[in-house]
């Protein structure tokens, strides 16, 4: 959604797209995919061969969270077509898209809990299409007076959870409640994401921030992608110190997360100072 908000309104030709964005992004996949593969080779979890390396890069990345790299590459490849689409869409078209995603969410959850699965190909809205366009719509929508948008987005984020939790409790009484809850939340992810993104945008637009705070937020935000790429390696180092702490489990988990994030900000910020590496984070 953020990428849709920031990229769909830009003007780029195919040369700029392929030799600028896509070529750099393929380099990121090759570099970090190879680095993670070598880590698994070192620990004996992967064999040393060109075939294993290629399977890690092309088929199944060793680090599971790297699935998003491939999804985002698909978004970049479709970027010219998505820009054409939003250039001709009206507010009614955006509302239809959001309504359609809501209907598909409800039907998907009903199918999951009833055991009567529909052919979801009928309602399939790929992430590379749905989320960027909704993000662009939210970012370019004019603010309505009296904070009406804040309430609208807040309800969009909260109401699905008010449905998901009781339904999960009813249908998962004798089964895995946590698994059912996660499946139900995934069905409603488009609506919840729409609400959260819109709510944050509205709240941020209505507040004034000091230049120093804005600079700090932008500096930390600029490391987000790099932290995503490196957090697995950073966590493996942070846990070596966390295991010696004796405290409440929740406090330990919070400390583990915050220390990993803080170390990630410092590490990625340092990488961005190095000419070659700064293009890989």
């Amino acid at each position: 959604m953020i990428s849709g908000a920031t990229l769909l309104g830009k003007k780029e030709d195919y040369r700029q797209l392929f030799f600028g964005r896509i070529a750099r992004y393929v380099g990121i996949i090759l570099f970090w995919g190879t680095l993670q593969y070598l880590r698994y080779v070192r620990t004996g979890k992967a064999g040393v061969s060109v075939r294993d390396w290629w399977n890690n890069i092309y088929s199944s990345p060793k680090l599971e969270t790297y699935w998003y790299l491939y999804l985002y590459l698909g978004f970049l490849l479709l970027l010219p077509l998505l820009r054409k689409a939003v250039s001709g869409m009206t507010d009614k078209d955006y509302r239809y898209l959001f309504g359609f995603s809501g209907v598909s969410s409800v039907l998907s959850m009903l199918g999951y809990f009833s055991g009567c699965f529909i052919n979801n190909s009928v309602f399939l809205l790929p992430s590379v299409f749905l989320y960027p366009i909704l993000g662009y719509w939210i970012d370019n929508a004019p603010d309505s007076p009296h904070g009406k948008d804040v309430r609208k987005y807040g309800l969009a984020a909260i109401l699905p959870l008010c449905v998901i939790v009781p339904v999960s409790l009813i249908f998962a009484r004798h089964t895995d409640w946590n698994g059912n809850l996660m499946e139900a939340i995934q069905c409603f992810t488009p609506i919840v994401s729409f609400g959260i993104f819109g709510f944050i945008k509205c709240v941020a637009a209505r507040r004034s921030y000091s230049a120093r705070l804005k600079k700090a937020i932008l500096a930390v935000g600029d490391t987000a992608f790099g932290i995503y790429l490196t957090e697995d390696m950073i966590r493996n180092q942070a846990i070596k110190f966390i295991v010696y702490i004796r405290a409440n489990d929740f406090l330990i988990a919070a400390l583990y997360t915050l220390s990993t994030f803080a170390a990630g900000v410092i590490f990625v910020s340092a990488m961005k100072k190095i000419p070659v590496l700064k293009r890989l984070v």
Side-chain angles (χ1 to χ4, degrees), residues 242 245 250-260:
I242 297 296
I245 298 175
F250 177 80
L251 292 177
I252 291 176
L255 181 62
Y256 183 34
T257 302
L258 291 173
S259 61
T260 300

Side-chain angles (χ1 to χ4, degrees), residues 112-113 168-181:
Y112 175 78
F113 282 113
S168 298
L169 285 169
I170 293 170
F171 285 93
R173 197 170 296 165
H174 304 294
T175 57
D176 178 16
W177 184 85
N178 184 63
N180 281 274
L181 180 65

Side-chain angles (χ1 to χ4, degrees), residues 52-72:
D52 281 354
W53 171 81
W54 179 243
N55 283 339
N56 175 64
I57 297 295
Y58 180 74
S59 179
S60 55
K62 291 298 179 186
L63 192 61
E64 188 178 349
T65 55
Y66 276 13
W67 64 267
Y68 180 74
L69 293 177
Y70 300 85
L71 181 72
Y72 194 77

Side-chain angles (χ1 to χ4, degrees), residues 88-100:
M89 290 179 69
T90 64
D91 193 61
K92 185 180 290 186
D93 297 325
Y94 289 115
R95 291 178 185 277
Y96 171 77
L97 177 63
F98 177 70
F100 189 65

